[in-house]
Amino acid sequence: MTTGTALAVLTGLLLSGCGSSGSPSPESPTTPAGIPVPAQPDPRGLLAARVAVAKDQRYVAAYTLTAQGRAPRSILVSIASDRTWRVDIQGGALGGTADVAIVGRPDGQFQCPINPSGGGCVRVAAAGKKLPAAIDPRVQYVFVSWLDVLLDRQIPLSVATAEPLAGTSAPCFAVEPGVTAIAPPIDPGTFCYNDNGILTAAKLPIGQLMLTGEVVAAQATVSLPGPVGAGAPLGTAPPAPAPPNASASSH
């Protein structure tokens, strides 16, 4: 079964009623003439159908992240066949001056510098956990942990259909976490998925993501781009200014 067929079947199940095909269920509203009013599609169910397909996909895809006041940045997402993953983020650390990869493996999550100076990887969190806020670029959640949030009906979310974001024709959905959540499990935003379960665009507090180029087949596994060391990870805040030149101050 193709992913498009699977999506159509899952969407049909989510939208099917409980009554027989010949008569409306007792709860169905009717017009004054007694004609049943067609049930309105459930936006959360429609989004869940696409996210269920997305969760089964394994791929490599390139995105552009655009935020107000900043130059567009490149994002490369790799979801491997064994469910390991890697998200390369241009300008993801040191106030946009350092490129990093966030890598998820069974033994944890790692931050790895990928700028020309290179350097070793640092384990920054257990597998499946959030990164400390000071080193968290956040964009990686869109492709991994937030899929489970969007699928879980027990998590209070408000979901509504939204106008397609510029640059995509895929269906889009506006998502807001429940107002009672002390620590929201997902950032508010608009998410757009095509029939193959690929995120084509997303508008988030960190900026707007847009798919660029072709989606290609995944590798078998994701490997770390460098050795694991005991150094400190790079923070997202700009680096501290250099201290004044001691020799200049002595004159």
Side-chain angles (χ1 to χ4, degrees), residues 86 102-105 107-112 121 222-228:
R86 171 176 166 175
I102 305 297
V103 183
R105 296 184 54 81
D107 51 337
Q109 295 179 72
F110 302 84
Q111 182 203 77
C112 307
C121 299
V222 165
S223 57
L224 295 174
V228 178

Side-chain angles (χ1 to χ4, degrees), residues 10 16 24 57 97 111 119 122 134 144 194-195 226:
L10 182 53
S16 61
Q57 291 287 39
T97 62
Q111 182 203 77
V122 179
V144 286
N194 64 19
D195 292 347

